[in-house]
Amino acid sequence: MAPNLPLFSPPEDPGPSFIRLLEQMGHLGWGHMTQANLPSAIHGFQDPSPNIQPLRHGTTIVAVRCAGGVVMAGDRRATEGYSIANRTMEKVFPADSHSGVAIAGTAGPAVEMVKLFQTQLEHYEKVEGAALSLEGKANQLAMMVRGHLPMAMQGLVVIPLFAGYDMRRNTGRIFTYDVTGGHYEESDFHATGSGGRDARTAIKLGYKDNMSVDEAITLVVEALYQAADEDSATGGPDMVRGIYPTVAVITEAGFERVTDERVALSFRELIAAKQQGGQLP
Amino acid sequence: MTMPFYVAPEQVMKDRAEYAQKGIARGRSLIASTFSDGILIVAENPSRSLHKISEIYDRIAFAGVGKYNEFDQLRVAGIRHADTKGYAYSREDVDARSLANLYAQYLGQVFTHEMKPMEVEILVAELGIESSGDQLYHIAYEGTIMDEERFTVLGGDAEPIMERMESSWSRDHSLEQAISEMVAALAGPRKTIAPSELEVAALARSGGRRAFRRIGEAELQAILGAG
């Protein structure tokens, strides 16, 4: 047989799925992360409540539909219990050229899930010669979340938020998930994570149909500001260090990260407006 | 009961080589060449959907001539090799040299041990960070591997195309110039090839992380029409 060239007989062929390929090649794939072979350090966690405290979670991630696409954003704080573990954590990633994924929950498996998801989409696109439909991508992510359920049961929860530009329907679309892999399409906006409720309220108050991209950026900035104001696990704009939430715009032209300067400007305008209105002490 | 006739090993190899060469010569040729911004691959291919040229990884492209099902199987294996390697190690650790070696070993293995050799000639191209790092690996049906730094021609009609490329090639060509010259070299003096009969793709240094880009019929029409 060929030395290392991954060729398969028809019944074993993994097709365009990278996850099935990993399984066929005997790598520790996502599906293998069952209760039975969890790393020993986490294996003991049967009752999550006292133990999940030191693990990183708590976040606010948002997505808002606007004219010609969708805007995604996430704060930058990672926490371990009551202390801050990381101030520059990225929680919004490109999934492929025209979609993005944001993560809330335990940082380690969440980042790993994103990496696997990105590879899965690119692998499919290269093997098949065409990208998956947006709905197909959302389904793939749902299967990964479902595969992660045993870990979630032990407290290592990962909840993604998926959004993208649907090239066939020429519109932005947002998909939300629960721990069991259930996924639901949102019509206009959504926010999850520990500050998600506050962010959702802020967006609900300011949302208009067919907002421009700039208006949507202003709105997600306001939402993240309000979430950080109420939730200790969500980081606000760090003007001292120059660290601002991640904001990305996905349109027909593709996934594009908004520059830090642009986000900083938006925060300065927001704060100036609040000070003028006498809303801040 | 019949005894098989004795056939000298030299004869077996010769027959197999002839068989493979015949299969490859039936198909049309393909040129890969470096240019100012990277690597260009131009193939004569009337099909819009059955590609001869494809993306393997961020900076690696694949091309094949000969039997479609055979080189397509190698293409998919290449993507699988690259994606698993990049996933397990790092994207930077995926390189064309090791993939080209795997292909060469596999083709060599099939040529000597299987009933039928593979009727393919393949190319693995890697875009360097700078133009001096561009690499073209040309692998023949029996596993011979050649690395080129300027250009290489795959397929049955290679020699005259090679000569025409020799006289027109320059590393300083722009994308448009390089495509025009390569299409002319592929066609020869007595023939012209319409854009609808061509498959063209580039690995371009200006292209971002995934450097592979197909150059579609409309863009080709503009380039070849003007040239």
Side-chain angles (χ1 to χ4, degrees):
Chain A
M1 213 27 235
N4 291 327
L5 197 59
L7 290 159
F8 300 92
S9 61
E12 270 114 49
D13 196 285
S17 168
F18 183 70
I19 297 170
R20 279 199 57 203
L21 173 66
L22 284 183
E23 286 169 3
Q24 285 291 352
M25 291 180 73
H27 284 263
L28 188 77
W30 202 256
H32 297 269
M33 293 288 242
T34 54
Q35 208 158 336
N37 57 10
L38 275 177
S40 56
I42 341 173
H43 194 73
F45 292 1
Q46 290 304 328
D47 172 22
S49 46
N51 296 309
I52 53 168
Q53 283 273 324
L55 299 165
R56 299 181 179 192
H57 68 182
T59 281
T60 303
I61 47 173
V62 302
V64 174
R65 231 156 67 90
C66 60
V70 53
V71 173
M72 297 183 90
D75 75 303
R76 305 285 291 274
R77 178 173 294 177
T79 51
E80 275 174 0
Y82 296 114
S83 62
I84 293 172
N86 194 324
R87 294 175 211 278
T88 56
M89 171 97 185
E90 291 280 347
K91 300 171 187 175
V92 181
F93 304 88
D96 68 352
S97 64
H98 284 82
S99 63
V101 57
I103 47 170
T106 321
V111 171
E112 189 56 28
M113 190 184 283
V114 169
K115 187 181 160 194
L116 189 63
F117 184 51
Q118 289 169 328
T119 313
Q120 171 84 340
L121 297 187
E122 189 184 315
H123 188 74
Y124 181 97
E125 188 185 329
K126 289 190 291 195
V127 170
E128 290 290 297
L132 273 168
S133 66
L134 195 67
E135 200 133 347
K137 293 174 200 170
N139 264 323
Q140 283 291 316
L141 187 56
M143 275 185 236
M144 284 182 199
V145 177
R146 194 173 308 134
H148 186 72
L149 186 61
M151 299 265 274
M153 297 285 277
Q154 310 214 21
L156 304 174
V157 176
V158 176
I159 302 284
L161 180 62
F162 179 67
Y165 185 80
D166 191 327
M167 305 288 272
R168 303 177 195 192
R169 288 166 187 79
N170 299 319
T171 178
R173 295 173 77 184
I174 299 167
F175 296 87
T176 60
Y177 295 81
D178 63 26
V179 276
T180 63
H183 61 297
Y184 316 95
E185 183 166 0
E186 297 293 330
S187 58
D188 299 319
F189 61 86
H190 195 73
T192 38
S194 52
R197 253 181 89 118
D198 303 299
R200 273 202 302 278
T201 308
I203 296 173
K204 202 187 290 173
L205 294 173
Y207 183 82
K208 295 192 301 269
D209 273 336
N210 264 316
M211 278 183 297
S212 70
V213 168
D214 277 328
E215 286 173 311
I217 292 174
T218 309
L219 187 57
V220 297
V221 160
E222 162 97 53
L224 284 174
Y225 181 87
Q226 296 299 350
D229 213 26
E230 296 298 326
D231 176 35
S232 64
T234 297
D238 190 338
M239 308 252 181
V240 179
R241 297 185 184 82
I243 302 165
Y244 295 93
T246 315
V247 182
V249 178
I250 310 163
T251 59
E252 197 178 359
F255 180 102
E256 199 183 344
R257 235 195 103 148
V258 178
T259 61
D260 273 349
E261 292 73 41
R262 171 76 183 78
V263 179
L265 177 73
S266 212
F267 272 108
R268 280 200 300 274
E269 283 173 1
L270 174 79
I271 291 163
K274 289 203 182 302
Q275 280 168 337
Q276 249 180 6
Q279 287 176 22
L280 289 178
Chain B
M1 214 175 111
T2 53
M3 285 280 287
F5 287 109
Y6 171 76
V7 186
E10 290 90 339
Q11 190 60 43
V12 175
M13 292 301 155
K14 230 179 113 197
D15 288 352
R16 283 187 182 166
E18 228 166 71
Y19 178 85
Q21 280 161 1
K22 257 192 211 161
I24 294 162
R26 271 196 292 271
R28 302 181 213 192
S29 302
L30 175 153
I31 312 177
S33 167
T34 55
F35 74 109
S36 59
D37 192 32
I39 296 165
L40 255 170
I41 308 172
V42 175
E44 211 180 324
N45 183 3
S47 170
R48 293 293 90 202
S49 53
L50 303 176
H51 295 301
K52 288 184 174 178
I53 311 167
S54 324
E55 175 186 16
I56 293 272
Y57 209 64
D58 294 350
R59 306 178 79 80
I60 303 174
F62 173 95
V65 296
K67 254 190 135 179
Y68 177 79
N69 68 321
E70 291 182 351
F71 70 71
D72 195 59
Q73 178 200 359
L74 294 176
R75 171 188 76 91
V76 173
I79 295 171
R80 286 175 178 163
H81 169 80
D83 276 347
T84 44
K85 194 172 175 186
Y87 181 73
Y89 301 103
S90 150
R91 297 196 85 88
E92 292 169 39
D93 297 316
V94 180
D95 64 330
R97 190 190 46 81
S98 78
L99 180 60
N101 272 321
L102 284 180
Y103 280 139
Q105 282 172 36
Y106 178 70
L107 287 170
Q109 188 91 354
V110 171
F111 184 76
T112 46
H113 295 280
E114 304 278 320
M115 267 292 284
K116 184 191 100 58
M118 290 184 101
E119 298 158 69
V120 295
E121 241 179 275
I122 59 173
L123 169 92
V124 181
E126 181 172 35
L127 184 70
I129 302 296
E130 311 213 342
S131 69
S132 56
D134 292 346
Q135 259 330 320
L136 303 168
Y137 296 97
H138 178 165
I139 306 146
Y141 57 88
E142 83 300 24
T144 313
I145 176 165
M146 292 157 276
D147 76 316
E148 297 284 346
E149 281 171 7
R150 298 188 302 156
F151 59 85
T152 187
V153 181
L154 277 69
D157 203 22
E159 229 124 270
I161 299 175
M162 208 68 150
E163 276 165 31
R164 289 194 284 269
M165 277 301 287
E166 195 72 56
S167 61
S168 68
W169 180 86
S170 157
R171 197 188 290 281
D172 302 326
H173 277 334
S174 67
L175 181 88
E176 292 79 9
Q177 278 171 317
I179 290 178
S180 306
E181 296 291 357
M182 286 165 81
V183 172
L186 200 58
R190 277 184 295 280
K191 198 173 107 180
T192 53
I193 309 175
S196 60
E197 302 275 299
L198 284 168
E199 182 183 353
V200 180
L203 284 170
R205 258 178 287 280
S206 55
R209 176 173 74 83
R210 283 172 78 179
F212 184 86
R213 176 168 85 89
R214 290 190 188 283
I215 292 154
E217 200 178 325
E219 201 179 337
L220 273 181
Q221 192 94 51
I223 293 167
L224 296 174

